[in-house]
Amino acid sequence: MIDINNLLATPEDEYHDFKAQWYTPYDKAELIKDIFSFVNTAHHKDCYLLIGIDDNHKVIGIENDENRLNTQQLTDFLHSLPIANSHTPKVVVQSIQLDKHTIDVIVIKETTDVPVYLDEDKHPKQAKRPIHAGQIFTRENDTNTPISDSASDYLVERLWKKRFGEDLSIKEQYKVKLSDFQHWEYFELDNVGFRYTMNPDFCMYLEEDKDNRYKSESYTLGQVRLDMSWNKLLLKYRNSTIGEFLVVFMDGVRFMTVVPNLGSINPMANDLLTFQYYLADSLDYAVEKLILNMNKVAITPDYGSKIQLLSRIVIFNDYNQLKQVTSELNQHYDDIKKKCTPTKEQLELCRGALSMDFKKSDPEMQEGHIEIMCEESNVGQFINKYLKNDHL
């Protein structure tokens, strides 16, 4: 959401600029330059062009401006340009009522597809100036690259570092590398693990986990076999360990998954409703997405196994959404408890499936564990439906 009052109170910078009016047909080259300049910034945030604001930050409005463009019109204009590698910037035009006037805000969405530039000369119809192929415009503090010039080597270098994630911490770089699915390989040599072929400094190794843990959990339900084996996955950068996660081989060692986190509804209650979850912006989920997309036998689940797995694990956008959703669900604890209490038939089916891999004396076969597994599976599926439909 745009904090318009904060933007108006802040001098122009690398994140926002003020324009008194929309760009005329004679100024279309300036429009290209200004949008490209904000796209080609080294930071990792959205940028804003506020139109209908004069140089003194006074709201003068654009309600009578015949040159206004909406999101679709501006997007179509950008798509018509010969942009190198077809990396068309994403923009959104929002109209805001302020001080009895209408202002338009062009939101230039953050991207790592930088630098953005043209690979052919472009002289928009009626425009005073052309934009030349290879010209790179950027913004430093409150100043854009002049339309007759191109950014300095130093500024362009910062953009390439942004593109490849080299301006980030090693942990954040790991997320970038992990999203490049096609360039990771699984190996079984002296060690077992994963290697990023574009930069072998990024490497992950599997180690056996010797702690005494249950060998079946709620997210194994729905698979053909419910047994699993535990391992540790060490994320290495050169000789340093950047992170460590528990992983399990599931369904008779047919595929691997990162062990999800354990959450609960009404955590102050004696009878917790637990569920398993990932945070979409986390490093462990970046590893999980790599596993799901490697198409490697013994690592990646097939389509049916993947659907069963993810139906029982909740994926929240971030920690804030996790807190918001659990707070909402806490208010309906009793209803959710009734809906998620396993039936006798479900318990019996779970017991029968477990008996294929475990003896009656094994802890996995205890009634209390079976009940928790089934209920936790039901809660995970319930929350996934809640997130999809946004109602109980």
Side-chain angles (χ1 to χ4, degrees):
M1 187 174 181
I2 301 173
D3 187 348
I4 191 69
N5 291 322
N6 182 58
L7 290 173
L8 288 173
T10 305
E12 295 173 344
D13 54 22
E14 292 183 359
Y15 303 93
H16 76 296
D17 195 3
F18 302 119
K19 297 290 179 182
Q21 60 188 19
W22 269 90
Y23 300 79
T24 69
Y26 302 102
D27 299 319
K28 284 296 175 67
E30 288 289 335
L31 173 60
I32 297 170
K33 175 182 73 74
D34 289 349
I35 290 178
F36 282 18
S37 293
F38 274 122
V39 174
N40 292 330
T41 47
H43 60 72
H44 292 265
K45 295 183 179 180
D46 293 346
C47 295
Y48 306 94
L49 271 169
L50 290 82
I51 306 177
I53 312 293
D54 69 13
D55 290 338
N56 297 316
H57 299 199
K58 181 182 177 182
V59 178
I60 58 176
I62 43 72
E63 49 268 23
N64 297 316
D65 194 327
E66 62 182 11
N67 296 304
R68 292 177 70 183
L69 300 176
N70 59 29
T71 298
Q72 188 61 57
Q73 291 167 328
L74 183 55
T75 299
D76 289 345
F77 171 70
L78 292 173
H79 276 296
S80 72
L81 302 176
I83 298 176
N85 302 314
S86 300
H87 287 157
T88 305
K90 183 177 180 180
V91 295
V92 178
V93 180
Q94 296 186 19
S95 298
I96 298 174
Q97 300 301 312
L98 197 65
D99 295 345
K100 299 182 180 180
H101 286 289
T102 300
I103 67 169
D104 285 338
V105 181
I106 303 176
V107 183
I108 300 106
K109 304 300 288 185
E110 153 64 9
T111 180
T112 56
D113 289 331
V114 293
V116 170
Y117 56 93
L118 303 183
D119 58 8
E120 297 177 14
D121 288 354
K122 177 69 174 180
H123 196 151
K125 195 176 297 184
Q126 299 183 39
K128 301 174 185 176
R129 304 169 183 269
I131 301 291
H132 295 292
Q135 269 188 291
I136 296 177
F137 303 108
T138 187
R139 187 173 177 89
E140 191 173 25
N141 298 320
D142 63 348
T143 304
N144 293 341
T145 306
I147 199 166
S148 59
D149 205 347
S150 192
S152 67
D153 290 345
Y154 164 71
L155 293 176
V156 174
E157 181 183 2
R158 291 178 66 194
L159 297 179
W160 284 109
K161 285 183 176 180
K162 176 182 178 181
R163 182 179 187 127
F164 293 111
E166 294 178 5
D167 60 334
L168 305 172
S169 67
I170 296 300
K171 277 194 174 182
E172 291 300 314
Q173 285 190 50
Y174 239 111
K175 289 184 184 179
V176 175
K177 311 302 185 193
L178 287 164
S179 67
D180 186 13
F181 307 136
Q182 63 179 330
H183 288 121
W184 283 88
E185 64 179 10
Y186 176 71
F187 59 84
E188 295 178 338
L189 302 172
D190 295 335
N191 295 304
V192 180
F194 304 82
R195 181 185 297 111
Y196 185 54
T197 58
M198 302 299 288
N199 184 350
D201 286 338
F202 293 87
C203 208
M204 304 186 292
Y205 296 97
L206 281 169
E207 291 184 356
E208 183 182 359
D209 176 64
K210 297 181 179 179
D211 287 355
N212 187 22
R213 306 177 191 275
Y214 283 112
K215 292 181 173 60
S216 187
E217 295 281 1
S218 63
Y219 47 90
T220 64
L221 296 175
Q223 307 300 328
V224 177
R225 304 294 290 269
L226 304 192
D227 65 318
M228 61 189 197
S229 58
W230 294 77
N231 289 261
K232 294 177 182 177
L233 184 66
L234 306 181
L235 278 62
K236 293 279 192 177
Y237 177 73
R238 297 178 180 170
N239 293 321
S240 299
T241 300
I242 304 304
E244 178 180 315
F245 303 115
L246 286 170
V247 297
V248 289
F249 282 92
M250 294 177 55
D251 198 8
V253 200
R254 287 184 55 249
F255 68 91
M256 190 178 84
T257 195
V258 176
V259 174
N261 305 290
L262 185 66
S264 65
I265 298 173
N266 201 6
M268 301 305 293
N270 293 326
D271 186 14
L272 299 180
L273 284 174
T274 58
F275 58 88
Q276 302 281 347
Y277 73 91
Y278 297 122
L279 298 179
D281 62 349
S282 65
L283 184 57
D284 56 345
Y285 187 61
V287 175
E288 177 66 9
K289 285 193 295 183
L290 172 67
I291 294 169
L292 294 174
N293 287 277
M294 282 196 73
N295 296 320
K296 177 69 177 177
V297 176
I299 295 297
T300 304
D302 60 29
Y303 179 78
S305 297
K306 176 181 175 180
I307 294 298
Q308 291 293 335
L309 176 70
L310 296 182
S311 70
R312 291 166 170 82
I313 300 175
V314 185
I315 302 172
F316 295 103
N317 294 330
D318 50 33
Y319 183 67
N320 288 333
Q321 189 189 28
L322 166 65
K323 287 199 304 181
Q324 177 185 343
V325 171
T326 52
S327 176
E328 292 171 1
L329 296 179
N330 284 346
Q331 301 173 39
H332 304 278
Y333 174 85
D334 291 337
D335 290 338
I336 298 171
K337 177 70 176 178
K338 290 178 183 178
K339 291 179 180 179
C340 293
T341 298
T343 64
K344 290 183 179 180
E345 181 182 12
Q346 183 182 11
L347 294 172
E348 190 59 36
L349 287 171
C350 179
R351 189 179 299 108
L354 287 168
S355 67
M356 296 175 64
D357 297 297
F358 302 102
K359 298 178 293 187
K360 288 184 178 181
S361 58
D362 288 335
E364 289 78 11
M365 294 295 292
Q366 294 175 356
E367 288 301 315
H369 180 64
I370 293 174
E371 289 175 3
I372 289 173
M373 281 181 59
C374 291
E375 182 180 74
E376 191 170 274
S377 171
N378 293 344
V379 174
Q381 293 177 85
F382 175 87
I383 297 176
N384 278 326
K385 290 178 181 177
Y386 175 80
L387 291 175
K388 185 177 180 179
N389 300 320
D390 198 27
H391 59 76
L392 290 173

